[in-house]
Amino acid sequence: MIPLSWPVVAKVIALRLCETSIKSTESTADLFAEIVAMSSAMGWAADSVLVRFGLRKSNIFAAMFVSYAVSISCMWTYLVATTSLEFLKSPAMIYYLISGCIQPLFARALFYEGITRIGVARAGPLRGGEPLFATAIAISIFDEQPGWLVFLGTILIVVSLWLISGKQQGDTKWRLIDTIFPISAGLISAISQSLRKQALKIIPDPFVAVAVVTTVSFILLLGFMVTTKRTHQLRMPREGFMFYFCAALIATLAQVANFIALGRGQLSVIIPLLNTTPLFTIFFSAVFLRNVETVNLRIVLGAALMVAGVVLITSR
C-alpha cells in the first residue's frame, strides 16, 4: 500500500469539494429553470381563460393581433433601449425565423380555434400532449436518453388525452374531430421549441427570442388578413379588447419565462413542465368559466393523469 502525503490528500479533498459544488450549482440551476417553466405554464392558462372571455365578443384573429402587438411593443422597446442590435446578424436568427413562421402564429391559431370549438377545459389539456412529441424529438435529434419513468409518464399522458377528448352521453356541442386543433398546436409547438433550443445555444437572450419570433408571426398574420380580406375582423368592442390586452400582457411574460426555462434546462424536462398548463387551466375554468363551460369528472381525471405523467417524466 502506498502512503498518501498530506498534499495529495488535500488535493483529492479539494477536487471532491469542487465536484460537489458544481453538482450543487447545476442542481440549483435546474430547479430555477423548472420553477420558471411552471410559472410560464400558469401564465398560459390565465391567457387562455381571458381569451375565452374575449371570444364571446370577438374572434381569434383579433385576439392574436392584440397579443402580438403588445408583445412586440414591449420587447422591442426594451431591446432598443438596452441592447445592441448586432444580434440581428447572428446565425440564431435563422432558427428564430423558422420558429416564428410556425409558432406562435399557427400554434396559437389552432389552439384558439380549439378553444372556440371545444372550450378551454378540453383544449388546454389536449394541447398539453406536446411532451409526447417533445420526447420523440429529444431522443431522435438531441440524443437525450430518458429512462423508463419518461415512457411511463408518456403512457399516462396518452390515456389522459383519451379521457379528455372522449365525448360523454348528452354532449353534442362539439365533434371528436375538433380535438385535432389543440393536438396539432402541441405538435407544432414541440417542433418550434426544438428550433428555439438550438437558437438559445447561440444567443441565450429570452427577450431577443420573444421579439424576433413574435414579429415574424405578426407579419405573417397581417399578410394573411390583408390577402384574404379579413381586416374587418380586427374590429372589436372595448370589453373584448380589454380581455385581449390583459391576456397579451400575461402571454408576453409567460413567453419570456418559456425561453428562460428552455435555455437553462433540458428539452425533455422543460417541455413537460411547460405543459402543466392543463392543471391551471382546469382550475381557472372551474373558478372563472363555470357559466361558460362545464368541467366534469372525466376532464378533471384526464388532467390529473396528464399532470401525473408530467411529474414522472421530470422525476426521471
Side-chain angles (χ1 to χ4, degrees), residues 19 66 74 83 162 170 226 296:
E19 290 176 359
V66 174
C74 293
T83 309
W162 175 78
V226 170
N296 54 47

Side-chain angles (χ1 to χ4, degrees), residues 40-54:
S40 176
M42 185 183 295
W44 286 120
D47 168 73
S48 299
V49 172
L50 289 169
V51 167
R52 182 71 168 103
F53 277 118

Side-chain angles (χ1 to χ4, degrees), residues 131-132 135 139 146-161 272 304-316:
L132 296 172
T135 300
I139 294 172
W148 66 271
L149 287 177
V150 172
F151 293 103
L152 180 57
T154 299
I155 292 174
L156 287 179
I157 292 175
V158 171
V159 174
S160 73
L161 292 175
L305 283 177
M306 178 172 287
V307 173
V310 168
V311 171
L312 285 176
I313 290 173
T314 56
S315 65
R316 76 211 185 281

Side-chain angles (χ1 to χ4, degrees), residues 52-81:
R52 182 71 168 103
F53 277 118
L55 286 173
R56 294 185 299 176
K57 301 289 184 179
S58 188
N59 58 81
I60 61 171
F61 292 105
M64 289 190 292
F65 180 86
V66 174
S67 182
Y68 296 158
V70 171
S71 180
I72 289 172
S73 299
C74 293
M75 291 300 99
W76 282 110
T77 298
Y78 171 80
L79 288 175
V80 170

Side-chain angles (χ1 to χ4, degrees), residues 240-251:
F241 172 78
M242 291 307 299
F243 281 120
Y244 289 158
F245 181 76
C246 292
L249 291 176
I250 294 175

Side-chain angles (χ1 to χ4, degrees), residues 183-258:
I183 292 174
S184 297
L187 171 60
I188 289 175
S189 180
I191 295 172
S192 178
Q193 297 285 30
S194 65
L195 292 170
R196 295 173 180 184
K197 179 70 174 177
Q198 290 296 99
L200 285 167
K201 291 180 180 179
I202 303 173
I203 303 179
D205 189 330
F207 297 100
V208 170
V210 174
V212 176
V213 299
T214 307
T215 300
V216 173
S217 288
F218 186 62
I219 293 172
L220 290 175
L221 175 65
L222 288 179
F224 172 77
M225 298 196 71
V226 170
T227 54
T228 58
K229 299 180 180 180
R230 296 173 181 263
T231 52
H232 64 280
Q233 294 187 13
L234 296 180
R235 299 173 184 172
M236 68 194 88
R238 182 174 181 179
E239 181 182 357
F241 172 78
M242 291 307 299
F243 281 120
Y244 289 158
F245 181 76
C246 292
L249 291 176
I250 294 175
T252 299
L253 294 175
Q255 197 168 14
V256 171
N258 180 306

Side-chain angles (χ1 to χ4, degrees), residues 8 57 72 97-98 115 142 174 178 230 239 260 316:
V8 173
K57 301 289 184 179
I72 289 172
L97 288 174
I98 298 174
I115 290 176
F142 293 98
W174 61 279
D178 292 336
R230 296 173 181 263
E239 181 182 357
I260 292 175
R316 76 211 185 281

